[in-house]
């Protein structure tokens, strides 16, 4: 039975997609069966995996036009239910009672086929992110060590608390994942200390390992390769491997 992780932060540009892709690739290197689910109309994860334009996509799944097994595309970088740009109009069509449970319900038939399902969410707290929180076992919160990201996490936490109350009382926060970290700057160190206080107040943690700035991450995405294949000895691989160790140790 798959463990489902949602990668969430209200702020954009905090490496949600990058982290989902890297962690997924690392898990597959360890022999795990992984499914990516792209819930962002920007389609960054889908484009990186070079998905095809077809009926197999998350919009058709959420609107019940196809079943989950028909929504999955197989790529050289892994299985994915891809996004489409028209997903940005999902609020118009996904408006029935119980809409918060649509992703959870439509994925149920394929959950046993995977060890991990990784949900990449948009930078918002609207219906798609709510669906991800409802379907997930745990939330991973990628963030930069800056003030805007810090404020985004506070707003996300309110959404998590509401989701626990009404939709998914078993939802856990796996931790706050600091990305693009530079331990030589005072501002990064200060924000990290604040994030640790916030995590303690929210009864979660900041992951022990920060993800260091690494140009190879961006290069690998441009070349449609996962970081483990493109630069297996780079700092990002070492850092994400340590994060996976933390996740698997739970």
């Amino acid at each position: 039975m798959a463990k489902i992780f949602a990668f969430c932060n209200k702020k954009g540009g905090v490496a949600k997609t990058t982290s989902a892709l890297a962690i997924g690739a690392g898990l597959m290197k360890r022999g795990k069966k992984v499914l990516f689910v792209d819930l962002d109309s920007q389609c960054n994860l889908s484009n990186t995996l070079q998905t095809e334009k077809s009926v197999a996509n998350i919009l058709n799944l959420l609107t019940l036009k196809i079943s989950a097994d028909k929504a999955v595309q197989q790529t050289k970088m892994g299985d994915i239910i891809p996004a489409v740009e028209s997903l940005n109009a999902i609020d118009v069509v996904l408006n029935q009672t119980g809409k918060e449970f649509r992703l959870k319900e439509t994925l149920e038939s394929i959950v046993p086929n995977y060890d991990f399902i990784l949900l990449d969410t948009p930078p918002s707290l609207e219906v798609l992110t709510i669906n991800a929180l409802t379907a997930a076992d745990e939330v991973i919160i990628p963030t930069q060590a800056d003030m805007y990201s810090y404020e985004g996490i506070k707003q996300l936490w309110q959404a998590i608390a509401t989701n626990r109350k009404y939709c998914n009382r078993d939802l856990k926060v796996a931790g706050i994942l600091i990305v693009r970290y530079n331990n030589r700057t005072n501002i990064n160190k200060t924000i990290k200390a604040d994030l640790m206080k916030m995590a303690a107040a929210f009864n979660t943690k900041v992951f022990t390992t920060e993800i260091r700035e690494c140009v190879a991450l961006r290069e690998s995405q441009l070349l449609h390769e996962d970081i483990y294949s493109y630069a297996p000895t780079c700092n990002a691989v070492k850092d994400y491997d340590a994060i996976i160790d933390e996740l698997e140790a739970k």
Side-chain angles (χ1 to χ4, degrees):
M1 188 67 70
K3 186 75 169 287
I4 303 177
F5 288 106
F7 291 76
C8 299
N9 192 322
K10 184 183 178 185
K11 186 178 184 301
V14 293
K16 290 190 301 293
T17 300
T18 297
S19 295
L21 181 59
I23 289 172
L27 287 167
M28 284 187 279
K29 292 292 183 184
R30 300 184 185 202
K32 306 298 184 182
K33 296 186 68 176
V34 175
L35 172 67
F36 298 103
V37 180
D38 192 351
L39 293 163
D40 190 348
S41 63
Q42 295 179 82
C43 306
N44 291 332
L45 182 58
S46 303
N47 291 336
T48 301
L49 270 65
Q50 294 184 292
T51 58
E52 298 177 355
K53 302 294 184 184
S54 77
V55 297
N57 62 65
I58 190 65
L59 180 60
N60 283 337
L61 177 62
L62 292 174
T63 54
L64 306 180
K65 294 179 180 177
I66 57 175
S67 59
D69 61 310
K70 301 297 185 184
V72 176
Q73 292 191 28
Q74 296 179 328
T75 77
K76 69 175 185 177
M77 294 174 67
D79 289 3
I80 180 173
I81 300 179
V84 288
E85 292 180 5
S86 52
L87 196 61
N88 59 15
I90 189 67
D91 285 357
V92 176
V93 293
L94 196 62
N95 55 16
Q96 306 92 337
T97 301
K99 62 185 178 182
E100 300 88 352
F101 294 87
R102 183 62 60 85
L103 180 64
K104 177 181 176 67
E105 291 169 349
T106 54
L107 288 179
E108 281 179 349
S109 63
I110 60 171
V111 167
N113 300 342
Y114 295 93
D115 297 307
F116 293 91
I117 296 177
L118 307 182
L119 311 176
D120 185 26
T121 66
S124 73
L125 299 178
E126 298 178 353
V127 67
L128 291 171
T129 299
I130 293 168
N131 263 263
L133 295 175
T134 302
D137 297 302
E138 299 190 37
V139 183
I140 295 173
I141 306 175
T143 183
Q144 296 184 66
D146 63 43
M147 186 54 64
Y148 294 131
S149 299
Y150 180 87
E151 292 298 323
I153 293 174
K154 289 199 292 188
Q155 294 175 49
L156 172 60
W157 192 260
Q158 291 299 317
I160 290 171
T162 300
N163 194 277
R164 282 174 172 163
K165 182 176 181 180
Y166 294 107
C167 301
N168 185 2
R169 65 180 182 182
D170 296 323
L171 181 64
K172 297 180 176 62
V173 179
I176 297 170
L177 174 59
I178 301 178
V179 301
R180 298 174 186 147
Y181 187 71
N182 185 346
N183 62 9
R184 291 173 294 182
T185 65
N186 288 331
I187 185 64
N188 272 207
K189 292 177 182 178
T190 299
I191 297 294
K192 179 184 175 182
D194 289 342
L195 287 170
M196 293 181 74
K197 292 177 184 177
M198 176 189 287
F202 292 163
N203 196 29
T204 186
K205 68 174 183 178
V206 174
F207 283 100
T208 303
T209 302
E210 302 92 16
I211 309 302
R212 288 168 283 182
E213 184 68 59
C214 183
V215 174
L217 280 168
R218 293 193 292 274
E219 293 173 345
S220 66
Q221 291 167 0
L222 286 171
L223 295 172
H224 304 284
E225 293 186 41
D226 70 78
I227 190 63
Y228 283 78
S229 300
Y230 177 72
T233 61
C234 73
N235 286 336
V237 166
K238 296 173 185 176
D239 295 341
Y240 278 113
D241 258 342
I243 298 299
I244 294 170
D245 286 342
E246 289 192 55
L247 291 173
E248 291 197 315
K250 298 184 67 172

